[in-house]
Amino acid sequence: MIPKKKWGQNFLRNRGAVDKIVNAIEPQPGEVILEIGPGEGVLTEKLVELGEVTAIEIDPHLAARLRQKFGDIIVNADALEVPLPSRPFRAVGNLPYNVGTPILRRVIADPNFRRAVFMLQKEVADRLVAKPRDEQYGFLTLYRELFASARILMKLDPGSFHPAPKVRSAVVVLDPDRKPFASDAFIDLISAAFRMRRKKLVNNLTTYPREDVLTALERANIDEGTRAEELSLDDFARLFNSLR
Ligand code: SAM
């Protein structure tokens, strides 16, 4: 079957990486393993030895082929839309690059998420683990921090895949660490804060009256000339409380 670009089909050919990914999942009793984008099944064949698996594949041809081998654990659906498991799950996948970030965001915000082991573009992995003032630090870093801890398990060169992608890849392990202030309103605040990266925070938070923002910054002990990229998640939490 010819790999389809529109679904980000770069199949993993590095056996050492497959083992490392599978070993990092560590499923616990009662948890289900949710595989996203099983492709040709290189991870699936190891995952079924670890525990109960559900695998979501968008490509009907690949899904049909996988079903012949693995049966009805294969679901032909879009991982951005299919309901996530209603009981504790560990997600794993060599994520399609075009939808890797929204899939990750959906998974880590889910109350049943217990771990995720995701292959992503290295540039996205760097954003996930960045620190304030790093070039890669931004909305995605803070969104991740709101729900999970993250560490990079390994980096891979394009030659580990067929066909070789243009970019480098990295595997990230995410564990639940949901903050009590995680909410849509908080996500809206960090999203607005990074709208124009080089602008001062006060000029990005235009959905609030300017006076309110200035007062809240003062109350939160944050200089009014600060840019979003200088603030930690705790700083944003203080600002969020002061704004309300
Ligand atoms: N896991 C396989 C591997 O490591 O070789 C395939 C990885 S390939 C990078 C991404 C896979 O995700 C492809 O099989 C593709 O068809 C599938 N895919 C793409 N978009 C998807 C979506 N929205 N929902 C579910 N699967 C998707």
Side-chain angles (χ1 to χ4, degrees), residues 7-12 37-39 42 56-58 62 77-79 94 96:
W7 283 323
Q9 292 179 354
N10 301 98
F11 300 112
L12 187 56
V42 67
I56 316 291
E57 173 56 61
I58 201 169
L62 283 179
D78 184 340
N94 168 12

Side-chain angles (χ1 to χ4, degrees), residues 38-53:
E40 297 176 324
V42 67
L43 293 171
T44 325
E45 64 188 18
K46 304 263 178 180
L47 296 176
V48 291
E49 290 169 15
L50 273 190
E52 188 185 331
V53 177

Side-chain angles (χ1 to χ4, degrees), residues 91-186:
V92 56
N94 168 12
L95 297 186
Y97 290 141
N98 46 345
V99 286
T101 306
I103 289 175
L104 178 143
R105 282 181 54 181
R106 188 171 183 227
V107 164
I108 66 172
D110 191 277
N112 286 313
F113 146 73
R114 294 293 179 271
R115 176 168 285 182
V117 183
F118 283 151
M119 174 93 68
L120 298 150
Q121 258 170 279
K122 183 178 170 293
E123 180 232 315
V124 175
D126 289 341
R127 280 160 53 202
L128 287 169
V129 300
K131 300 276 178 265
R133 293 191 169 81
D134 286 353
E135 199 185 314
Q136 299 86 352
Y137 184 75
F139 171 78
L140 186 63
T141 321
L142 288 159
Y143 182 96
R144 184 280 295 166
E145 254 191 277
L146 207 47
F147 296 106
S149 63
R151 65 186 166 92
I152 293 185
L153 184 68
M154 72 181 134
K155 298 171 189 166
L156 283 109
D157 287 324
S160 288
F161 304 87
H162 171 78
K166 289 201 177 68
V167 293
R168 295 191 69 205
S169 305
V171 178
V172 180
V173 180
L174 301 130
D175 285 314
D177 182 16
R178 196 186 190 98
K179 304 299 183 297
F181 48 88
S183 63
D184 288 345
F186 189 88

Side-chain angles (χ1 to χ4, degrees), residues 8 14 24 29 32 41 75 105 129 134 143 146 153 158 200 206 222 240:
N14 178 332
V32 61
V75 179
R105 282 181 54 181
V129 300
D134 286 353
Y143 182 96
L146 207 47
L153 184 68
K200 288 178 191 169
T206 50
I222 299 168
F240 182 64

